[in-house]
């Protein structure tokens, strides 16, 4: 940079560049048209220095253009004077050129004089200069691409906010742009490098020299782009200005500014940011540098995320906002997907298809969800409705038409842009395409016809007595290569175990397969890949038809559109829906014609029954089922040859049973009912045979479909579950066992799965409860396996506690919002966003409350029935206190001061019946009223129990005829007993201050039977750890597996506690209270 002496012409050029740089900073909405202009940190000299030539006056060739520009400084793009072609090619001194342009690109120097001469606009890297000088014997150190990394790091490490005692270096720090981020500096370097390269190619240097110079520039560009990517990933790697957004947002900002119709969302000067014409080249360079090994995911993934979830997409005004800022997001995405590596990267990001997203949350959690949810519907965007269509009856039709036309134009623009983005993604990445291309797989017609043929081939060996069933080779999948199971999940084995088993079976002489095995397994596999997939297609049509029906109902609304300007449009939309419904209905009928053909259904049921029987015979230790029937439960050890079978063998039996139960239950009248029942009982009593929890959930669903009546149809399995010997012996124990097992499935959705499964279990219990044999079976279960049954009761109480709390809490919240909205004038005065949020909250609560209320009702009903039959399991110490506390709490919610909060509009909409719920709770109290332990537990409940609650509940029950007079009297006597017990407990428990060592560390209650845990050596009360182990079989302090029999009684501590109680008892007790204040029951109280 200092090779050529300065002259007045150079000074004039420098002044001109400074002025234009300031002009560029002031006019930030458009980039400077002069390609060689630098940002505010650019050095004074021109980017491409005058090359070393043969001795010729400098002004002869180079002066005219600068002089012309100085004379007309207001002209951004001066037209240079015509030049004569040089007689000889210009030569480039590579070393001198490299020294100058490296300094210009990084805006740095190792020479203090050069920095001082530039007014400290060029940054003097003093410390690096000293370091490099120490490595060289003598002479100046030229700047080159070889030390570019050290130059860049040294520059990036400078912090203008750093204090220094070095007076020579103080001007350097003071001249650094105080608000310039690392990314902005690197973008400036990248821009200056591109300008240098552009000027270089226009100079007409010899090709060899040009190629050498460009190679050096590419090396420097890779370095700049590398650090730019790192600054997006780790923005705090180098000093940054305080209070300024850094990281991915720095690239999001120029992306948002690409749309000419959106207001630029920029803050501060834009000369350090990418201009619209620079964004795509910069992205191309980033993609080229970071594409290998998918490094680009970490660099640009956060940028795409922040762009797709930009706050402008969540504003209440949506796409009707005045600044149309959502268009900036669209434009930014269009540029991003235009770079193929970035398009491929987008479909790899976790948010492309969030694994845990639910249907209602997908549009908020997936990358393109916020864009795809932009629209005009009032449910999601009430602000648009209010802005464009408020008071529609009082507005002129032309005004409404104009509003509609404007919104439609906006929607069309949005949808067209989204299509282009998705079209580019689909063409760029195979991962973003549909998983099934129907042109690449066999048609449904083909596979169903083939399945029908195979069913006929199966008929000869599917005789009623199963005489040929043992000719089916259990090792077929190992011996035959006809069917590949490479990618199939196994019943209860890993892929490694399955492969080892296959290799072991093939180690001997190859076994020739018989025709029966071939046909059986081909039918089984085709049923999975083809026949059941056709059934799935039919079910999808049913869902689609249902969605259209709901859409038509939504369009129909309350009919207020009739006679309005919207009538033609609504009628047209309704007609369009009806036309589509007719098409879907026609497709359904076409599927029904073949899938519901009685002959095909008959053969399908026979084959499915045969498969289910063969599988049970497979696992039957005697291998004789169904003659005689299999003995349940199955052995604990699962045969390896069964564990390695493909999971779809079991899944297809379940899925087809469920399909028939829903669509053609009458087809099971002749055959199939017994096979279904035995199939479900076999694996529900021996759940360890199947690893997949969803398959077991489906089994209980099939059973529930069979015992309930719906759509006027008679239940298929109701009679059978109450008469079949296996059901009478094993059904109750299987339901209790699975109720416990489903608590922990290991799946990420286990919390919700367990409630769905337990709802189905409750349906089955209702169907069998009137049968005394099943009630006796429940009593036997409670008597013979008390620990297991207590755990079952514990989980049921957990469910009731959670479901009742959630449902009653939701009812109270719904009541609150409905009360707010009932005052229409006051509600209308709230900000639109607040109204929208409250309405959205109400919709969410309504969806959720119905589920919780129904689940809670069914579980409380079960609890009512069980406590009427058996009482002992509910009286164990680890259960009775929790049961009493749960009942008292919910009684308080239903009749206490908070009961008014449960009054909602249309309670039947949520299946909410507070009177029925109150009746069930009182029935549970009455069922257990003769149990002294229960009275003690209710009396000891200091949180919720009050006799006034029972007084009010009795009054409501009498007034609403929920209970008879005898039942109310029985309830009164129970409360008297509770009050007397409470007085006794107060006398016994009034022990004053208790030493900490006597308190249970989890419950903070006085320990009566302290025990020591073997692994953590913690001391707890026996009832506390016993209650814990009902839900979790690990030490609560270190998660080590623990059994109750492993705990160690702490006899020494128990003796001290007993002595403490003996000394402190009967001091300041409730016996000093007058008797009339202890019990004052009045069932006539309001």
């Amino acid at each position: 940079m200092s090779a050529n002496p300065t002259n007045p012409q150079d000074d004039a050029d420098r002044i001109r560049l400074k002025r234009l740089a300031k002009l560029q900073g002031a006019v930030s909405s458009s980039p400077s048209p002069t390609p060689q202009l630098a940002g505010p940190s650019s050095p004074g000299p021109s980017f491409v220095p005058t090359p070393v030539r043969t001795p010729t006056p400098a002004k002869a060739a180079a002066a005219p253009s600068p002089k012309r520009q100085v004379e007309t400084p207001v002209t951004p793009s001066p037209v240079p004077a015509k030049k004569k072609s040089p007689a000889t090619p210009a030569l480039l001194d590579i070393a001198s050129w490299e020294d100058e342009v490296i300094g210009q690109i990084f805006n740095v120097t190792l020479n203090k004089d050069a920095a001082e001469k530039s007014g400290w606009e060029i940054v003097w890297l003093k410390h690096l200069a000293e370091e490099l000088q120490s490595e060289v014997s003598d002479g100046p150190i030229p700047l080159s691409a070889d030390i570019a990394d050290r130059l860049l790091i040294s520059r990036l490490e400078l912090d203008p906010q750093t204090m220094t005692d070095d007076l020579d270096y103080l001007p350097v720090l003071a001249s650094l742009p105080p608000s310039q981020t690392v990314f902005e500096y690197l973008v400036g370097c990248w821009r200056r490098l591109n300008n240098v390269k552009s000027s270089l190619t226009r100079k007409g240097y010899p090709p060899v020299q040009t190629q050498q110079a460009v190679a050096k520039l590419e090396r420097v560009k890779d370095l700049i782009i590398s650090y730019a990517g790192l600054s997006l990933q780790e923005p705090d790697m180098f000093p940054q200005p305080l209070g300024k957004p850094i990281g991915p947002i720095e690239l999001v900002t120029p992306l948002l500014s690409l749309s000419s119709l959106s207001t630029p969302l920029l803050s501060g000067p834009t000369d350090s940011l990418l201009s619209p014409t620079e964004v795509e080249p910069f992205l191309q360079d980033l993609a080229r540098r970071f594409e290998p090994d998918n490094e680009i995911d970490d660099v640009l993934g956060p940028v795409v995320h922040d762009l797709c979830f930009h706050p402008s997409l969540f504003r209440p005004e949506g796409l009707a906002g005045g600044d149309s800022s959502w268009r900036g997001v669209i434009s930014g995405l269009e540029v991003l997907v235009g770079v193929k590596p970035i398009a491929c990267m987008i479909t790899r990001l976790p948010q492309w298809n969030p694994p845990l997203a639910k249907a209602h949350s997908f549009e908020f959690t997936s990358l393109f969800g916020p864009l795809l949810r932009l629209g005009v519907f009032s449910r999601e965007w009430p602000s648009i409705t209010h802005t464009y269509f408020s008071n529609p009856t009082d507005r002129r039709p032309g005004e409404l038409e104009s509003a509609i036309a404007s919104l439609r134009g906006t929607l069309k623009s949005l949808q067209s842009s989204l299509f282009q983005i998705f079209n580019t993604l689909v063409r760029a990445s195979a991962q973003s395409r549909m998983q099934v291309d129907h042109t690449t797989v066999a048609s449904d017609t083909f596979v169903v016809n083939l399945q029908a043929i195979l069913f006929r081939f199966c008929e000869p060996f599917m005789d009623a007595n199963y005489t040929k069933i043992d000719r089916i080779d259990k090792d077929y999948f190992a011996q035959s290569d006809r069917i590949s199971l490479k990618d199939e999940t196994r019943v209860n084995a890993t892929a490694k175990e399955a492969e080892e088993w296959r290799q072991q079976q093939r180690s001997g002489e190859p076994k020739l397969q018989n025709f029966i095995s071939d046909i059986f397994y081909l039918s089984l596999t085709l049923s999975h890949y083809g026949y059941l997939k056709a059934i799935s297609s039919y079910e999808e049509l049913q869902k689609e038809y249902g969605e259209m029906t709901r859409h038509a109902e939504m369009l129909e609304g309350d009919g207020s559109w009739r006679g309005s300007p919207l009538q033609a449009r609504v009628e047209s939309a309704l007609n369009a829906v009806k036309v589509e419904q007719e098409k879907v209905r026609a497709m359904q009928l076409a599927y029904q014609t073949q899938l519901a053909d009685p002959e095909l259904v008959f053969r399908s049921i026979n084959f499915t029954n045969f498969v289910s029987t063969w599988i049970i015979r497979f696992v039957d230790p005697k291998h004789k089922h169904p003659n005689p029937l299999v003995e349940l439960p199955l052995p604990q050890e699962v045969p390896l040859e069964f564990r390695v079978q493909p999971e779809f063998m079991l899944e297809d039996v379940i899925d087809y049973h469920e399909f028939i139960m829903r669509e053609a239950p009458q087809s099971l009248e002749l055959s199939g009912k017994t096979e279904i029942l035995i199939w479900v009982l076999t694996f529900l009593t021996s759940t360890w045979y199947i690893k997949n929890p969803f398959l077991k959930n489906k089994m209980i669903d099939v059973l529930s479909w069979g015992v309930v009546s719906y759509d006027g149809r008679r239940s298929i399995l109701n009679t059978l579950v109450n008469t079949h010997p296996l059901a009478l012996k094993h059904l109750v124990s299987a339901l209790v066992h699975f109720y416990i097992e489903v608590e922990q499935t290991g799946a990420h959705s286990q919390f919700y799965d367990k409630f769905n499964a337990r709802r189905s279990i409750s349906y089955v219990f209702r169907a069998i409860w009137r049968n005394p044999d099943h009630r006796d079976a429940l009593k036997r279960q409670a008597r013979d396996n008390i620990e297991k049954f207590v755990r079952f009761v514990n989980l049921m109480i957990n469910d009731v506690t959670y479901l009742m709390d959630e449902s009653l809490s939701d009812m109270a919240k719904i009541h609150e919002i409905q009360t707010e909205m009932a005052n229409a004038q006051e509600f209308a005065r709230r900000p639109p966003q607040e109204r929208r949020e409250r309405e959205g909250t109400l919709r969410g609560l309504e969806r959720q409350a119905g589920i919780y209320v129904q689940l809670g009702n069914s579980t409380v009903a079960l609890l009512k029935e069980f406590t009427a039959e058996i009482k002992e399991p509910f009286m164990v110490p680890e259960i009775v206190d929790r049961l009493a506390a749960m009942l008292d709490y919910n009684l308080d919610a239903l009749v206490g001061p908070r009961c008014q909060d449960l009054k909602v509009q249309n309670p039947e909409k949520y299946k909410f019946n507070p009177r029925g719920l109150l009746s069930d709770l009182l029935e549970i109290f009455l069922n257990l009223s003769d149990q002294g332990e229960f009275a003690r537990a209710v009396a000891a409940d200091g949180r919720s129990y009050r006799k006034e609650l029972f007084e009010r509940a009795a009054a409501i029950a009498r007034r609403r005829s929920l209970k008879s007079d005898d039942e109310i009297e029985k309830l009164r006597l129970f409360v008297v007993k509770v009050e007397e017990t409470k007085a006794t407990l107060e006398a016994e428990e009034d022990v004053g201050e208790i030493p900490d060592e006597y308190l249970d560390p989890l419950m903070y209650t006085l320990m009566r039977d302290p025990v020591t845990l073997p692994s953590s050596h913690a001391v707890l009360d026996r009832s506390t750890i016993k209650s814990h182990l009902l839900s979790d079989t690990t030490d609560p302090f270190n998660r080590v597996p623990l059994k109750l029999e492993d705990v160690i009684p702490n006899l020494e501590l128990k003796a001290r506690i007993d002595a403490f109680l003996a000394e402190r008892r009967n001091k300041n007790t409730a016996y000093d209270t007058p008797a009339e204040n202890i019990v004052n029951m009045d069932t006539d109280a309001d």
Side-chain angles (χ1 to χ4, degrees):
M1 290 184 298
S2 59
N4 296 328
T6 60
N7 54 51
Q9 181 59 56
D10 292 336
D11 293 336
D13 289 345
R14 188 178 300 108
I15 294 172
R16 168 186 165 273
L17 288 172
K18 288 182 181 179
R19 290 175 177 174
L20 288 181
K22 292 180 180 179
L23 179 63
Q24 184 186 30
V27 186
S28 60
S29 59
S30 61
S32 173
T34 305
Q36 295 184 3
L37 291 181
S41 61
S42 61
S46 174
F47 284 143
V48 180
T50 304
V52 178
R53 300 172 181 268
T54 54
T56 304
K59 62 180 180 180
S65 178
K67 284 184 178 179
R68 192 180 304 274
Q69 293 174 6
V70 172
E71 292 173 0
T72 57
V74 293
T75 303
S77 301
V79 179
K82 293 184 179 180
K83 303 178 183 179
K84 295 182 180 180
S85 300
T88 58
L91 298 177
L92 179 63
D93 184 342
I94 293 294
S96 176
W97 170 87
E98 185 177 10
D99 175 59
E100 187 169 356
V101 300
I102 293 295
Q104 292 173 355
I105 291 171
F106 292 140
N107 190 33
V108 297
T109 182
L110 300 176
N111 188 309
K112 177 182 177 181
D113 294 338
E116 187 173 7
K117 186 176 181 180
S118 69
W120 304 104
E121 288 186 6
I122 302 176
V123 178
W124 174 38
L125 302 178
K126 175 183 177 182
H127 302 299
L128 178 62
E130 294 173 350
E131 178 182 332
L132 292 172
Q133 195 64 55
S134 66
E135 299 172 3
V136 180
S137 57
D138 56 1
I141 303 171
L143 302 182
S144 67
D146 294 333
I147 63 170
D149 194 6
R150 299 174 69 178
L151 291 169
L152 187 55
I153 292 177
S154 181
R155 169 61 181 85
L156 293 177
E157 287 178 342
L158 296 180
D159 186 356
Q161 301 178 24
T162 301
M163 303 299 293
T164 180
D165 295 331
D166 188 345
L167 297 180
D168 287 343
Y169 210 51
L170 188 60
V172 175
L173 297 178
S175 300
L176 292 175
S179 62
Q180 186 183 60
T181 67
V182 170
F183 183 75
E184 289 174 342
Y185 168 75
L186 291 169
V187 167
C189 294
W190 175 84
R191 181 187 294 115
R192 292 191 288 270
L193 185 146
N194 287 335
N195 289 337
V196 168
K197 183 177 179 180
S198 177
S199 298
L200 176 69
T201 57
R202 294 198 302 265
K203 291 298 182 178
Y205 298 126
V208 174
Q209 290 186 326
T210 301
Q211 186 176 1
Q212 292 175 350
V214 169
K216 292 181 179 294
L217 291 177
E218 290 299 324
R219 286 178 58 193
V220 176
K221 179 190 284 188
D222 285 346
L223 182 67
I224 294 171
I225 290 296
S226 296
Y227 278 95
L230 291 176
S231 72
L232 293 174
Q233 289 181 264
E234 301 289 341
D236 296 324
M237 181 181 298
F238 295 103
Q240 298 275 21
L242 298 177
K244 191 170 183 178
I246 56 176
I249 189 62
E250 297 186 80
L251 186 52
V252 171
T253 299
L255 288 170
L256 288 169
S257 303
L258 293 176
S259 173
S260 60
L261 298 178
S262 65
T263 301
L265 303 178
L266 305 179
S267 57
T270 62
D271 41 40
S272 294
L273 296 172
L274 294 163
S275 68
T277 58
E278 294 172 330
V279 171
E280 185 172 358
F282 186 76
L283 292 174
Q284 292 280 9
D285 287 341
L286 277 174
R288 190 180 305 110
R289 166 62 182 82
F290 291 102
E291 181 184 9
D293 300 325
N294 293 339
E295 291 181 288
I296 193 174
D297 295 25
D298 296 326
V299 175
L300 290 180
V303 175
V304 174
H305 177 275
D306 290 357
L307 182 66
C308 291
F309 290 95
H310 192 268
S312 64
L313 301 179
F314 299 93
R315 295 176 181 174
E317 58 270 21
L319 53 77
D323 60 358
S324 297
S325 51
W326 59 270
R327 296 180 187 273
V329 178
I330 289 286
S331 299
L333 282 173
E334 287 176 335
V335 173
L336 284 168
V337 300
V339 182
K340 187 173 180 179
I342 300 178
C344 296
M345 173 208 71
I346 290 176
T347 60
R348 293 194 302 266
L349 296 177
Q351 293 87 359
W352 172 252
N353 183 18
L356 301 182
K358 304 297 182 182
H360 66 281
S361 63
F362 189 81
E363 61 194 78
F364 298 97
T365 58
S366 62
L367 275 181
F368 285 10
L371 274 172
L372 291 169
R373 70 180 298 271
L374 289 176
V376 298
F377 296 146
S378 58
R379 179 174 297 176
E380 292 81 20
W381 305 99
S383 177
I384 294 178
T385 304
H386 179 74
T387 302
Y388 284 83
F389 304 117
S390 58
N391 303 319
T393 56
D394 300 333
R395 298 171 67 176
R396 297 189 302 274
E399 187 178 352
L400 289 175
E401 291 290 342
S402 176
I404 292 172
S406 174
L407 289 175
R408 284 179 175 171
T410 303
L411 282 171
K412 182 178 180 180
S413 173
L414 170 69
Q415 293 164 0
S416 298
S417 298
L418 286 175
F419 169 74
Q420 293 299 330
I421 292 172
F422 277 97
N423 187 40
T424 306
L425 284 173
V426 169
R427 294 177 183 276
S429 173
Q431 296 181 16
S432 62
R433 302 178 187 177
M434 295 294 183
Q435 293 185 355
V436 177
D437 182 356
H438 290 287
T439 63
T440 64
V441 297
S443 68
D444 289 340
T445 303
F446 174 86
V447 295
V448 172
N449 287 335
L450 183 57
Q451 188 75 67
I453 295 171
L454 288 173
F455 282 161
R456 289 174 182 256
F457 277 112
C458 291
E459 285 180 350
F461 59 82
M462 294 194 308
D463 60 291
N465 295 322
Y466 303 99
T467 59
K468 300 179 181 179
I469 194 170
D470 290 331
R471 297 186 62 181
I472 299 173
D473 187 359
K474 298 177 184 178
D475 300 333
Y476 182 88
F477 287 121
Q479 297 291 342
S480 175
D481 295 326
R482 192 182 299 276
I483 300 170
S484 173
L485 299 180
K486 180 180 178 181
D487 298 324
E488 290 295 339
T489 303
R490 306 309 173 105
V491 171
N492 201 349
T494 64
K496 181 180 179 181
E497 290 174 326
E499 180 60 24
E500 290 176 352
W501 170 79
R502 191 181 74 88
Q503 294 295 341
Q504 182 180 0
Q505 298 302 315
R506 296 171 69 98
S507 60
E509 291 292 327
K511 184 191 300 184
L512 295 178
Q513 296 301 321
N514 58 57
F515 181 74
I516 290 178
S517 295
D518 278 336
I519 292 298
F520 175 79
Y521 283 102
L522 285 174
S523 300
L524 195 66
T525 308
L526 181 65
S527 176
H528 173 68
Y529 290 116
Y531 183 47
L532 285 171
K533 292 300 183 289
I535 291 175
S536 177
S537 298
Y538 168 72
E539 292 176 336
E540 288 298 322
L541 288 175
Q542 285 184 310
K543 294 178 183 178
E544 187 176 351
Y545 188 86
E547 291 172 358
M548 289 182 176
T549 300
R550 289 188 289 273
H551 181 60
E553 292 173 352
M554 184 271 292
L555 290 174
E556 184 73 27
D558 57 2
S560 58
W561 49 269
R562 290 187 174 86
S564 71
L566 299 177
Q567 178 171 348
R569 290 173 175 78
V570 175
E571 288 179 344
S572 176
L574 284 170
N575 291 334
V577 172
K578 290 177 181 178
V579 169
E580 292 301 316
Q581 280 186 309
E582 290 299 314
K583 293 180 181 179
V584 173
R585 183 57 182 159
M587 296 171 67
Q588 281 184 291
L589 291 172
Y591 269 94
Q592 287 178 0
T593 301
Q594 192 162 8
L595 294 179
D597 174 53
E599 185 174 343
L600 179 63
V601 169
F602 177 76
R603 290 192 170 99
S604 300
I605 292 175
N606 283 344
F607 179 76
T608 304
N609 291 341
F610 184 84
V611 173
S612 67
T613 302
W614 178 79
I615 291 176
I616 296 176
R617 192 183 185 97
F618 196 142
V619 297
D620 180 8
K622 299 178 181 178
H623 303 296
K624 298 295 185 181
H625 178 80
N627 298 309
L629 291 177
V630 63
E631 294 182 5
L632 301 179
L634 298 172
Q636 285 291 328
E637 184 175 354
V638 185
L640 176 61
E641 59 268 22
F642 175 75
R643 294 195 294 113
V644 299
Q645 296 300 317
E647 189 180 78
F648 68 72
M649 288 199 319
L650 281 71
E651 184 177 16
D652 291 350
V653 171
I654 301 169
D655 288 345
Y656 190 75
H657 281 158
E658 188 173 10
F659 168 71
I660 289 298
M661 286 288 189
R662 292 198 311 263
E663 298 298 326
Q666 69 281 357
S667 303
L668 297 170
E669 291 289 357
L670 295 177
S671 67
K673 295 186 294 184
T674 303
E675 287 81 359
I676 292 174
L677 179 62
I678 296 176
W679 164 266
V680 171
L681 285 173
T682 298
F683 291 105
L684 283 185
T685 58
S686 310
T687 54
W688 54 90
Y689 271 65
I690 302 175
K691 183 178 181 180
N692 189 342
F694 299 105
L695 293 185
K696 292 177 275 193
N697 286 0
K698 284 184 177 182
M699 289 183 184
I700 198 66
D701 288 342
V702 167
L703 196 58
S704 67
W705 276 105
V707 299
V708 299
S709 301
Y710 61 98
D711 293 341
R713 301 174 178 178
R714 186 173 62 87
S715 63
I716 293 299
L717 298 180
N718 209 333
T719 301
L720 195 62
V721 296
N722 284 291
T723 57
H724 195 281
L726 280 182
L728 295 177
K729 184 177 180 181
H730 297 290
L731 180 55
V732 168
S733 62
L735 295 176
V736 170
H737 175 80
F738 191 62
Y739 197 103
I740 297 172
E741 180 177 305
V742 79
E743 177 72 15
Q744 294 179 339
T745 63
H748 63 82
S749 57
Q750 68 178 14
F751 182 77
Y752 301 99
D753 295 337
K754 70 178 182 180
F755 288 123
N756 290 330
R758 288 170 180 172
R759 175 174 55 185
S760 298
I761 291 173
S762 69
Y763 291 155
V764 180
F765 265 122
R766 289 186 201 176
I768 65 175
W769 193 247
R770 295 186 183 278
N771 188 327
D773 292 333
H774 283 303
R775 294 202 298 271
D776 290 342
L778 186 70
K779 294 175 183 177
R780 287 195 303 272
Q781 183 77 12
R783 182 184 67 247
D784 300 338
N785 200 344
I786 184 64
E787 290 188 5
K788 184 175 184 179
F789 195 80
V790 166
R791 189 176 182 192
F792 164 66
V793 170
N794 177 71
L795 293 174
M796 188 160 50
I797 293 174
N798 287 349
D799 289 349
V800 173
T801 302
Y802 175 79
L803 294 170
M804 290 294 296
D805 188 55
E806 289 296 315
S807 58
L808 295 181
S809 175
D810 286 349
M811 289 296 109
K813 293 175 183 177
I814 291 173
H815 166 80
E816 178 185 352
I817 298 177
Q818 288 179 343
T819 302
E820 293 175 4
M821 298 176 67
N823 189 343
Q825 293 181 349
E826 179 64 27
F827 191 73
R829 283 197 288 269
R830 295 188 178 188
Q833 181 177 359
E834 182 181 350
R835 293 200 306 270
R836 183 173 69 88
E837 290 176 353
R838 297 298 281 170
E839 291 167 355
T841 301
L842 178 60
R843 291 194 298 271
L845 288 170
E846 289 177 338
R847 289 192 299 268
Q848 174 177 290
I851 298 174
Y852 285 139
V853 168
Q854 293 182 61
L855 289 172
N857 289 342
S858 62
T859 312
V860 170
L862 277 185
L863 198 59
K864 179 185 70 173
E865 301 292 351
F866 289 171
T867 53
E869 286 295 324
I870 48 178
K871 308 181 191 306
E872 292 79 7
F874 295 93
M875 295 302 106
V876 297
E878 57 268 28
I879 294 296
V880 66
D881 290 334
R882 297 178 59 247
L883 174 62
M886 180 272 293
L887 294 172
D888 290 340
Y889 179 81
N890 287 299
L891 186 66
D892 184 19
L894 289 174
V895 302
R898 300 174 296 165
C899 67
Q900 297 300 319
D901 296 339
L902 303 180
K903 292 184 177 180
V904 297
Q905 302 170 9
N906 303 321
E908 60 277 1
K909 177 180 179 181
Y910 320 106
K911 304 295 188 296
F912 181 55
N913 181 7
R915 296 176 189 171
L917 189 56
L918 175 61
S919 177
D920 285 349
L921 289 179
L922 293 179
E923 190 71 22
I924 298 173
F925 277 111
L926 292 172
N927 290 341
L928 302 175
S929 61
D930 58 348
Q931 302 294 308
E933 282 299 313
F934 182 63
R936 184 207 60 79
V938 173
D941 178 18
R943 183 184 69 161
S944 302
Y945 169 74
R946 298 191 306 278
K947 70 182 180 65
E948 292 79 11
L949 296 175
F950 287 87
E951 294 171 351
R952 180 169 174 78
I956 294 173
R958 186 190 301 276
R959 187 166 62 249
R960 300 296 182 183
S961 300
L962 301 180
K963 298 298 175 186
S964 66
D965 290 340
D966 290 343
E967 289 174 321
I968 292 177
E969 173 63 15
K970 185 178 179 181
L971 182 66
R972 187 189 73 80
L973 294 174
F974 170 70
V975 177
V976 170
K977 182 191 298 182
V978 170
E979 288 295 316
E980 292 175 347
T981 305
K982 182 179 178 182
T984 302
L985 288 174
E986 289 176 350
E988 294 178 350
E989 299 297 333
D990 191 6
V991 295
E993 183 179 355
I994 303 174
D996 290 342
E997 62 177 318
Y998 297 167
L999 293 175
D1000 185 285
L1002 293 183
M1003 303 302 295
Y1004 297 101
T1005 56
L1006 183 67
M1007 292 186 287
R1008 299 302 181 92
D1009 186 7
V1011 295
T1012 302
L1013 305 187
S1015 60
S1016 65
H1017 304 292
V1019 178
L1020 288 82
D1021 195 66
R1022 183 181 296 274
S1023 62
T1024 300
I1025 190 60
K1026 190 174 182 181
S1027 178
H1028 168 79
L1029 292 176
L1030 291 174
S1031 302
D1032 189 346
T1033 57
T1034 62
D1035 187 316
F1037 296 94
N1038 59 14
R1039 316 307 297 173
V1040 172
L1042 177 67
K1043 295 181 180 179
L1044 185 61
E1045 53 266 28
D1046 296 335
V1047 302
I1048 305 168
N1050 195 325
L1051 300 179
E1052 187 271 335
L1053 179 59
K1054 184 178 188 303
R1056 285 192 285 139
I1057 293 175
D1058 290 342
F1060 172 77
L1061 289 174
E1063 292 175 0
R1064 305 293 299 236
R1065 190 160 293 163
N1066 299 326
K1067 297 180 180 180
N1068 300 322
T1069 67
Y1071 281 127
D1072 298 326
T1073 304
E1076 60 271 17
N1077 293 335
I1078 295 177
V1079 179
N1080 185 21
M1081 185 69 172
D1082 183 5
T1083 57
D1084 295 327
D1086 259 345

